[in-house]
Amino acid sequence: MDKMPKWADVILIPLISLILAAILSTLVILAIGENPVEAVNLMVTGALGSTYGWGYTLYYATNFMFTGLAVAVAFHARLFNIGGEGQAMLGGLGVAMVCLYVPWPHWSIALLAAMAAAMLFGAAWAAIPAYLQAKRGSHIVITTIMFNFIAAALLNYMLVIVMRPAGSQDPATARFPEAVHLPTLHEMLAPIGINFSKAAPANISLIVALLACVVVWALIWRTRLGYEIRAYGHSETGAVYAGISPVRITIVAMLISGALAGLMAINNVMGEAERLVLNSTEGAGFIGIAVALMGRSHPFGVFLAAILFGFLYQGGAELALWTSIPRELIVVIQALVILFTGALDNMVRMPLEKLFLALRKEAN
Amino acid sequence: MTVPAIELKGISKAFGPVQANKDISISVAPGTIHGIIGENGAGKSTLMSILYGFYKADKGEIWINGKKTDIPDSQAAIAAGIGMVFQHFKLVENFTVLENIVLGAEDGGLLAPSLAKARKELKDLEQEYELFVDPDKRIDEIGVGMQQRVEILKALYRKAEILILDEPTGVLTPAEADQLFRILDRLRAEGKTIILITHKLREIMEATDTVSVMRRGQMTATVKTAETNPEELAELMVGRKVLLRVDKVPAKPGKPILEIENLRVTDSSGVERVKGIDLTVRAGEIVGIAGVAGNGQSELLEVLGGMRPGSGTIRMNGVPLALSGPGSDGQARRAQGIAHVPEDRQREGLIMDFHAWENVAFGYHRDPAYQRGIFMDNAALRADTERKIEKFDVRPPNGWLSAKNFSGGNQQKIVVAREIERNPDLLLVGQPTRGVDIGAIEFIHKQIVALRDQGKAILLVSVELEEIFSLSDRIAVMFDGHIMGERLPHETDEKELGLLMAGVAGEAA
Amino acid sequence: AIAEPAIIFDLGGKFDKSFNEAAHNGAQRWANETGGTYREIELQSEAQREQALRRFAEAGANPIITMGFAMADPLAAVAPDYPDTKFVAVDVSWLDAPNIRQVSFAEHEGSYLVGIMAAMASKTGTVGFIGGMDIPLIRHFGCGYAQGAKSVNPDINVVANMTGTTPAAWNDPVKGSELTKAQISQGADVIYAAAGGTGVGVLQTAADEGILSIGVDSNQNHLHPGKVLTSMLKRVDVAVYDAMKAGENVETGKFTMGLAENGVGVAMDENNAPLVTDEMMAAVEKARQDIIDGKIKVVSYYENDSCPALQF
Amino acid sequence: MDSFLTLIQVLDSTVRLATPLLLACLAGLYSERAGIFDIGLEGKMLMAAFFSAAVAAVTGSVWLGLLAGIAASLVLSALHGLASITFRGNQLISGVAINFLAAGLTVLIAQDWFQQGGRTPSLFAGGRFEPITFPFAETLSGVPIIGPIYSELLSGHSILVYVAFLMVPATWWVLFRTRFGLRLRAVGENPAAVDTAGVSVVGLRYAAVAICGVLCGIAGAYLATGLQAGFVKDMTAGRGFIALAALIFAKWRPWHAMWACLLFGLLQAVALRFQNIDLGGIVIPVQAMDALPYILTVVILAGFVGKAIPPKAGGEPYIKER
Ligand SMILES: Nc1ncnc2c1ncn2[C@@H]1O[C@H](COP(=O)(O)OP(=O)(O)OP(=O)(O)O)[C@@H](O)[C@H]1O
Ligand SMILES: Nc1ncnc2c1ncn2[C@@H]1O[C@H](COP(=O)(O)OP(=O)(O)OP(=O)(O)O)[C@@H](O)[C@H]1O
Ligand SMILES: [Mg+2]
Ligand SMILES: [Mg+2]
C-alpha cells in the first residue's frame, strides 16, 4: 500500500508547505517593521484589483508558465535544469534576430517564426549540457549553472558589440518594427467588448503558454515519448531494460525543456519590451524551479503556481512602488516556497505519513 | 546451564506498512555457531541489523551475556562486543584495507599512530586466524573474498566476541566458502559466538550447532542441527511440503534458435565479465545456467536482452544480432522475438511508480497495438491488463495499483505475464523466483514449462541449484566468465555442479 | 487635487553617492521647502523601466522625472500614450515628443575645470580617469578632463579606464578599487572617477593609498575629508528641483545646462579647502569665465565621436 | 621593468581576488567531501558579507563584524543541514533556495536597518581589515625583482588573505592526516560504512556543513570588510559559483583548489585591468574573459581534460530505512 493517499501527496503537502512559507514571509514582513495585512492588501489590489494589475500578473504568469513547464519536463526525466535563465536569454536573442533582421508582413507570421527561433535557440543552449550529461556524465546542474553565466556573457557581447544600434548609449537592440507588434489583451478583448487596460503587457503569448501547458500534458501523459521520459525518470535501469535509450531521453527531454524556456522570449521580448535588453529574463528561469516544484511537475499545477507567482511578482512590484518594502521581499518568498516545497518536503511529509499510517491502523 | 551470549526477546520492527519482524525471541549459547535460515524477505537481515544497532526495533529487548543491553546505535553494539559482516559489504572503496579497518576505531585524533598500531595488530590477527590480506591495497583493487576477510578483520579488530555473518557465501565460490567455514571453526574454538545467516541448507547442516528458522517476519522454530535434516528445515522455511521437482515431459529439442559464439562482455569499469563463451539453445528446450552470483551470468543475459554491448557472434533464428551500437537495444531484441524476464524485477522489470496497466506495456510500449494516432491507446492497454491479471491470477486484481503496491510474487507475475504472453521465440529468464513464495514459484515454473512445450527456446539463469535442476533440460555452468561445462540434469548431481561452479574443470570432477 | 510628481532612479539607486543621489537631494529639497510629497522608485532591472513609467503615469503622477539615458527608449514608447503627462528626462537630448523636458549637461566644461585642478595637484605628471559604463557620455566627461589637464601641462599623462560595458559598471566598487590600484601603479596621483556607485570604490582606494581623487555629480568631498581634491558637480539636483517646482506646468523641450547656467561646476568646501591652493582657485575661476565668454572652447566628444586630448 | 611591475600588479590583484574564491572553495570542499553538495556557497557568502559589514558599521569593530558574518553563514548552513541531512531533502534545491534567501534577505534587512537602498554605510578605519605590511617591506621595495615581489605581492594584504592561504595546508592536513578527516572522507564515499563502524553520519555531516559555513562566513566578511568598505547588494556577483567551478576544477583536492582559485582570480584580475585584450590582431572581448572560468569548468566536467569524479555518495541523502 502507498503510505498515504494520492490527494495528500498532490494537494495537501504543497498546501501545507505553502502555508508554512506564507507564515514565515509574514514574520519577515513583521520583522522589517511593516504591516503584513496592509502589504497583502496592497499586493492584492495592485495585482488583481484592476485590469491593469491583472495584465501584469498574467504577463508574469506567462513567463513562469514557460519556465515552469521547462523545469517540469526535465524533472520528469529526473534532470534538474537550472539553466532556464540562460536558455530564456538565448531565446530572446533568437526572437530579436528574427524580429529585427527579417521584414515581416504580419505579426502572426512573425510570431510563428519567433517561436521557432526562440525554441531553437533555447534548445540549442540546453543541448550542450544535455549532451555532456548523457554522454560524459557531467553533472547537468553544474553545467547548466555555468551555461547561465556563459549566456549572460554572450548576451552582453551581442548587445554591447553586435546588436546595439549606432549612436545608442544603452546595451539594447533597436525597437522592433511595428509589424511584429503582438496583440495585447487590450487589443484582443476590445472586439468582444471588454475594456482591458491598454498599458498592461499581457499579450497573445498567454494563449501560447496555455497551449503549451496542454501540449506538455499530452506529451507527458499521452504519448510514447512521454511514457519513455517518465519511465527513464523513475528508473534508469528499467529504461535500459525496456530499450529506452538514456542518452536519447536525456537529450530529448533537455531539448524540449530548453525550447520551452526559450519560448518565454516571445512574451517578454517580443510581447512586452519589443526590443532585447540586458537581463530581460528577470530571473524567470529560476522562478520556474519554484513553479515546477509547487506544481508537482504537472502542467495544471504549473499553471496554478505560475499564476500565484505572477501575482507575487506584480504585487511585489506594487509594494516597491508604493511602500518602502523593497522588491526583494518577493525573492525571499520565492526562496521560502522553494525551500518548503522542494528541500524540506520531508519535513511535512514524514509526519503526515505517520499520521495516515496511524489512521489506517485505526481503521483496520 | 550457561548464560546465553545473546538473547532477543519479543523483537518487532515495521517498515511503514511492512512488518519485517514480528515478536521474535531467540537465544544463542556462547561459543557456538547459530544458523538462521529463511526465505528472501523473511526478515533475517532486519533482525540482525537491529542486534547491531543499525535499525531500531519498535518493540523488544536485547540481552547480551545475561545483561539487558540497550543498543541504540552501532557504537553501542561494538561496545557490547558485537561485530557484523553485512550481506552488502560496508567498505569505502577508494580507501585502503588498513584505513577501512581503523575507520571508527582510531586511537586519538591523529591518523598515523592509529594506522601503525592497526598494521601491527593486523599481523597478529592474520597469524591467529589465517586471515591474510594486504593492508595497503585499495578495496576496489581486491576481490570479494578478500573484501569479506576485511569485514571479518574489522569486527575482530574491534574485539568482537559475537560475530554476525549475513549470507556470507552468496558471493563466494564453494572453495572460498569452505575456507570461510574453516575460519569460523577457529573463531568458535577461540570461544567466539557466531550467528550465520544463509538460505543454503547444506551450509547449515555442515557448519552450525543450532539453527533457527524464520518465515514472514516470524521465528517458526529453533532446533539442534544434529537433530534435524534438510527436508524438515525446508518445510519449516516455507510452511508446507516442498515440491523439489517440477512435473514435466521430456524435452523435444528442435532447430537451434539462439547460437552464441565467442561472446565477450566488458563492463563499464573495463573488467571483462564474459570471456568468450559458446552456447546454443534449441526450440523446445530449457537451458539452465548455473553459477555463483557474479560469474558473468547476469552480463550474458543483459547482452542477450540488449541491455549492454558485447562482442562476438549471436544468431537468432540464424540471423546475426547487433551487439553494440544501433539495433542492439532492448527494442531491437524484442522485435527479433526475444522476451526477457530480468533478474531484478524492481529495478529493471517494472517501474515501481507506474500503474500496473502502464507496466504491462513496459518495453512493448511502441507496439502498434497500443497506439492510436500519435497518442498511446490507454484504453487498449487497460483492457490488455485486465486479461493478463485474470489469466495469471495477479492479486489484487486491480490494474490501477502502482507496481510497488503489489507483493514480490505478484510483481513477478506481472512481469512473467507480460513477457510470456508475447509468445516469443526465445525467453530469457533471470532468477525467476527470487523472493517469491512457493505458490507463485510453482505457478511461474509451470508457465515456463508450458512455453517450452509450445516449442519455444528458454534460457534460464538462476543461482538456486534446485531451480536449475527442476526446470532445465540441459545445464551449463559458468565460472569466471567461462562456461565450465554442460551437463544433462539426470546425469549429474549437486556435487559435480558445485565443483564446476568453483572453477574445477570438468575432467577433474 | 494637485498631482504628485514622481521620480524614477536608475539602477545605481538613490544612495549611489553620485548621480542618483544628486537627484534625490534635489527632490528632498523640494519636499522640504514646499512640504509636498512625491513618489519614487529605484529600478532593479532593465525590464522594469517601462512598467515604472506606465504605473506612475496611470496613477496620475505629473511630472514624471527619469534619471539617466537608459530611460530614453522606454520614454519614447510610453510618452505618446500619456499626452497629458509631462516627463522630465535627465541626461537625454535626442527624443522628439512634445511632452518631454529633456535636460542635458555640459559635463565636458565642468570636467575641464577639475582637469585643471588635477594637473596642478599632480606631482608625478600622471593623472587618472576612471569611467563607469563605456558610453559616449562618459567619454565626454573624460575628454573635457583631459583637455583641462593638458591646458595646464601639455605633457601630462592622462590614463583612462572604463569599468565595463553594461549598467553593472555603475555599481561595481570592487572593480573601481582594482582599477585605481592599477592606475596608481602607472604613476597616477590624482584620479577622477565618473562612474556612479563604482566611484565609491575609487575614492576609497585612493584615500587608502594616499593619493587624491575627484568625485562626480554630487559633492563627494565629504566622503574622505582631505583626500578628495574636489568634485565635478553636475547639478542634477537643480534640474530635479526646478522640474518639481514647476509641477505640471513644467516647460518641455530641450535644455542644456553648462557653466553659464551653473549646471556644472567644481565643489569647494571645508573638506577640500586644505588641498586647494589660491593659485588653483584662480586658474579655475579664470577658465570658468573664459569658457562662459567663449574664449576657451572645450571640445565635446559628441562632435565627432573622438577626443583631441585623449585616446580611449 | 615596466611590464614586470604590471605583472606584479596583476598578480597582486589576483591574490586579492582569489581569496574569497579560495575560502568559498575550501568551504565547498569540506561539505562535498562529506557528501553534501552545496550550490549555496554564493548565498552564504552574501549573507556573511552583509552581516559582517552591518555589524562592523554599527559597532565599529571589524572583528565583531567577522563573527557576525560567520554566524549568519552558519545559520544558512544549519538550514542546509536541516534540509539535506535531517530531512533528507534534495541538496541542490536546498542550495538554490538558500541563494535566493540570501539575495532577498540581505537587501530587505539592509533597507530596514540603513535605508540606503540595500547597502550598508561605508566602513572606516576599525570597521575594516587593514593591510598588513611585512617588516622591511618599505626598505626592500627598491631591490630589483625580489623587492616588488616581497613588498607588493606578498606584503600588504589583509589578514584574511593570509588566513585563506594558510587554510590550504591546514585543510590538507585535516583531511588526510587526522581521524576527523578520514571519517569525513569516508562519509562522503560510503556513509553506511561509517555508520556501521559506529560513527554518526549525521554528526559528521553537520560538522562538515558547519565548517563550510565558517569558511563561507570568512569569505563573505573578506568581501565586505577587506576587499571593500561596506556591503552593496549582490556583491558576491557569482563568486560562489566560480568557487564551485574551482572545486570541480580541483577535483576536490585542497592544493589543486588553491591553484584553481588563483587561476580564476588571475582571469578576473586580467579582465578587470584590461577591457579587451589584443593578442596581435585578435581581440578577445572582455565578455570572453568573464565567461572563461565557466567555460573551463564545463570543459573539465566534460572530462576532456582529466575526469572529475565527485565523492561517491555526494548529493545523495543517507537513508537507512527505505
Ligand atoms: N530499509 C528497509 N525499508 C523498508 N523495508 C525494508 C527495509 N529493509 C527490509 N525491508 C523489508 O522488510 C522485509 C524483511 O527484509 P529482510 O531484508 O530482513 O529480509 P531477509 O530475510 O534478510 O531477506 P534476504 O534473504 O532477501 O536477504 C522485506 O519485506 C523487505 O522488503
Ligand atoms: N517497499 C514497499 N513499499 C510499499 N509497500 C510494500 C513494499 N514492500 C512490500 N510492500 C507491501 O507489503 C506487502 C507484503 O509484501 P511482501 O513482499 O513481503 O509480500 P509477501 O508476503 O512476501 O508476498 P509474495 O510472496 O507475493 O512476495 C505487499 O502487499 C506490499 O503491498
Ligand atoms: Mg537479508
Ligand atoms: Mg515476498
Side-chain angles (χ1 to χ4, degrees), chain D residues 247-271:
Chain D
L247 182 58
I248 294 165
F249 213 78
K251 298 173 186 165
W252 294 269
R253 288 174 297 194
W255 286 103
H256 291 65
M258 185 184 81
W259 295 117
C261 290
L262 282 172
L263 172 67
F264 291 167
L266 178 69
L267 290 178
Q268 288 188 339
V270 171

Side-chain angles (χ1 to χ4, degrees), chain B residues 13 52 54 75 91 106 109, chain D residues 179 183 190 196 198 320-321:
Chain B
K13 171 77 183 167
Y52 190 62
F54 196 59
Q75 191 81 63
L91 296 169
E106 309 88 342
Chain D
R179 169 176 70 186
R183 293 176 174 186
N190 186 355
T196 52
K320 252 201 251 187
E321 306 189 1

Side-chain angles (χ1 to χ4, degrees), chain A residues 32 136 138 142 156 286 346, chain D residues 87 100 112 287 301-302 307:
Chain A
I32 58 170
R136 313 203 56 108
S138 325
I142 306 290
N156 185 329
F286 296 112
N346 277 334
Chain D
F87 289 113
F100 283 125
D112 183 43
Q287 291 88 354
L301 273 172
K307 196 128 180 76

